[in-house]
Amino acid sequence: MSAAPVIEQLSRETGISTAAALFDKIPPHPVDPVLSPLFRRGGLPRGELVTVSGELSLSCGLATIAAATREQKWCAGIGLGEPAVSSIADLGVDLDHFVNLATPGEDWLRVASILIESFDIILVDPGFAPSASERARLLAKIRERRMSLISLRPMSGSTEQIEITDTRWSGAEHGRGRLQSCLVRARSQTGTHRFLLPGPSGTPTSVPAGTLEVVTGGVPAGTANAAAEARTAPATSPATSPATSPATDPDTDPDMGTDTADDPRWSTITALRQVISHVG
């Protein structure tokens, strides 16, 4: 007795989203080697829903489909707006195999249901959360066609969830220069990972040794506590003269450092405080 009908039935059942892959051993769609550790099977699973959320989720989603497009897999974007074509190409996407549809948010589910029949991968920013019955029908179609759908928002029924938790851009130090790369920290079922997206060349890049950790809000490690203390420190009373207040004396203020008195900006700050005190 052939097992094919049983396998086909299992692949359609809700909650058994990986049955086809387990029995037929269908390899996942390839992804960039830097992004491969994010996925449990080293690539974008077929017949399944994957979510990518957080800051830079669009860039991460586009970088995820890039390798597949270079292998001539057809990919479509739904509800992504009008991202810059050059930026999509910089992330490694083969534009000859990528279609971006300007779809109203309320139509994303209908359009996705149609494109599932023809495309290998769909990248969608859903305009609304589908109902349980709509989601069940969508997942059944995804499993039946053995294609991949990437949602840029959390959605129930996803088998793999990638969340970008922190980012830190570099390249514009001291207010000058150009943004060159972004250090990203992402969390998935395989753990927490760091990589550059974009890297100096645009595509994902491994983090160079010695790079500082990413922390919430993009503040380099070691400065978060100082920033928090500055936000919670009590304000100086306007009626207090800076000349007599220890908190405003550059020689005694521990937060200003020993070289503050030599900073020309300090005289401007002092003058402003004097004006405020007289007004008060």
Side-chain angles (χ1 to χ4, degrees):
M1 179 178 178
S2 174
V6 178
I7 296 174
E8 186 66 19
Q9 179 63 31
L10 286 174
S11 67
R12 295 172 182 266
E13 291 293 332
T14 303
I16 313 181
S17 58
T18 59
L22 290 174
F23 282 99
D24 298 342
K25 298 182 179 179
I26 300 175
H29 288 297
V31 298
D32 189 285
V34 174
L35 302 179
S36 179
L38 292 171
F39 299 92
R40 289 178 294 181
R41 280 171 276 165
L44 183 63
R46 303 189 189 191
E48 301 180 30
L49 167 65
V50 175
T51 60
V52 180
S53 60
E55 190 177 359
L56 294 183
S57 59
L58 176 55
S59 295
C60 187
L62 290 169
T64 298
I65 69 173
T69 62
R70 294 195 298 269
E71 291 195 356
Q72 301 184 348
K73 302 297 182 181
W74 281 97
C75 303
I78 301 175
L80 306 182
E82 298 181 2
V85 175
S86 59
S87 298
I88 298 176
D90 287 344
L91 289 169
V93 176
D94 179 5
L95 298 179
D96 289 336
H97 290 84
F98 177 74
V99 178
N100 185 42
L101 301 176
T103 305
E106 62 271 17
D107 287 340
W108 80 265
L109 186 58
R110 179 177 62 86
V111 175
S113 298
I114 296 172
L115 296 184
I116 284 174
E117 302 293 332
S118 305
F119 283 81
D120 300 291
I121 304 172
I122 295 178
L123 179 65
V124 59
D125 187 358
F128 63 89
S131 65
S133 59
E134 290 172 334
R135 186 172 61 250
R137 288 193 295 270
L138 179 67
L139 294 176
K141 284 188 175 183
I142 293 172
R143 289 192 295 269
E144 179 181 358
R145 298 298 302 175
R146 296 177 184 176
M147 54 84 63
S148 302
L149 191 144
I150 304 174
S151 171
L152 299 184
R153 298 178 188 272
M155 186 180 299
S156 299
S158 59
T159 57
E160 300 209 32
Q161 302 87 35
I162 299 173
E163 180 188 6
I164 298 178
T165 56
D166 296 293
T167 60
R168 179 162 60 85
W169 287 90
S170 62
E173 288 78 8
H174 308 294
R176 298 182 179 180
R178 297 181 178 180
L179 294 175
Q180 297 177 350
S181 61
C182 183
L183 177 60
V184 173
R185 182 169 64 184
R187 181 172 58 237
S188 68
Q189 280 91 337
T190 61
T192 301
H193 309 273
R194 295 198 308 158
F195 51 90
L196 298 181
L197 180 66
S201 62
T203 57
T205 307
S206 299
V207 178
T211 302
L212 290 176
E213 179 61 274
V214 181
V215 297
T216 302
V219 182
T223 63
N225 291 338
E229 292 173 1
R231 289 194 299 270
T232 57
T236 303
S237 172
T240 305
S241 171
T244 59
S245 172
T248 59
D249 188 347
D251 296 326
T252 59
D253 189 348
D255 293 331
M256 300 303 293
T258 56
D259 297 331
T260 305
D262 298 330
D263 192 334
R265 293 172 295 184
W266 177 251
S267 59
T268 302
I269 296 173
T270 303
L272 288 173
R273 286 180 172 176
Q274 289 175 339
V275 171
I276 293 172
S277 65
H278 289 306
V279 172

